[in-house]
Amino acid sequence: MNHYETVFILNPVLSDTQIKETVQKFEDYLVSKGAEMISKEDWGLKKLAYTIQNKKSGFYHLFEYKVDGQAITPFELEFRRDDSVMRYLTVKLDKHAIAWAEKRRERNKAFKK
């Protein structure tokens, strides 16, 4: 099982319930493929560096998970099929990136307290 991180941007015109349903749909898809979810982060509404689909902002979300590499291509196909997803990026993490992600999660926990 490889360690991955996926960041995706959702359309800013979606309601809170639509955003939650979309994020839950992608999480359920990963879990159905045997993924182990390590963390989920909601980065909120952020301004884009350039317009995408005539939108100037989007809702950012991050998934960190472990899954077999064969599950990534169908997972990304689900992103392409969903009209509410403006952009996505999946990255396979090496040992240094995994250590950095752990530090980021710890820092975020301390920040939220």
Side-chain angles (χ1 to χ4, degrees), residues 20-38:
K20 289 177 185 174
E21 289 171 358
T22 304
V23 170
Q24 189 62 45
K25 177 181 84 168
F26 291 124
E27 182 181 3
D28 292 344
Y29 182 84
L30 278 175
V31 171
S32 73
K33 298 296 182 186
E36 174 192 340
M37 293 300 289
I38 295 171

Side-chain angles (χ1 to χ4, degrees), residues 91-110:
V91 179
K92 181 179 175 185
L93 302 179
D94 63 1
K95 64 181 182 180
H96 303 292
I98 292 169
W100 185 86
E102 288 173 4
K103 287 180 188 175
R104 186 191 72 232
R105 281 195 308 273
E106 291 300 318
R107 188 175 58 238
N108 286 344
K109 283 181 186 175

Side-chain angles (χ1 to χ4, degrees), residues 22-100:
T22 304
V23 170
Q24 189 62 45
K25 177 181 84 168
F26 291 124
E27 182 181 3
D28 292 344
Y29 182 84
L30 278 175
V31 171
S32 73
K33 298 296 182 186
E36 174 192 340
M37 293 300 289
I38 295 171
S39 76
K40 292 187 313 181
E41 294 180 22
D42 175 5
W43 293 349
L45 184 67
K46 301 235 182 238
K47 185 176 179 201
L48 303 173
Y50 54 91
T51 58
I52 302 173
Q53 300 171 357
N54 295 323
K55 307 286 189 289
K56 294 183 180 182
S57 61
F59 290 102
Y60 281 69
H61 290 274
L62 172 97
F63 285 170
E64 187 179 341
Y65 53 95
K66 290 182 184 178
V67 72
D68 187 37
Q70 296 173 349
I72 296 299
T73 302
F75 181 53
E76 290 184 340
L77 182 62
E78 291 297 316
F79 280 125
R80 285 194 290 275
R81 287 181 177 159
D82 195 329
D83 291 336
S84 62
V85 176
M86 295 167 48
R87 290 283 190 275
Y88 65 90
L89 177 67
T90 301
V91 179
K92 181 179 175 185
L93 302 179
D94 63 1
K95 64 181 182 180
H96 303 292
I98 292 169
W100 185 86

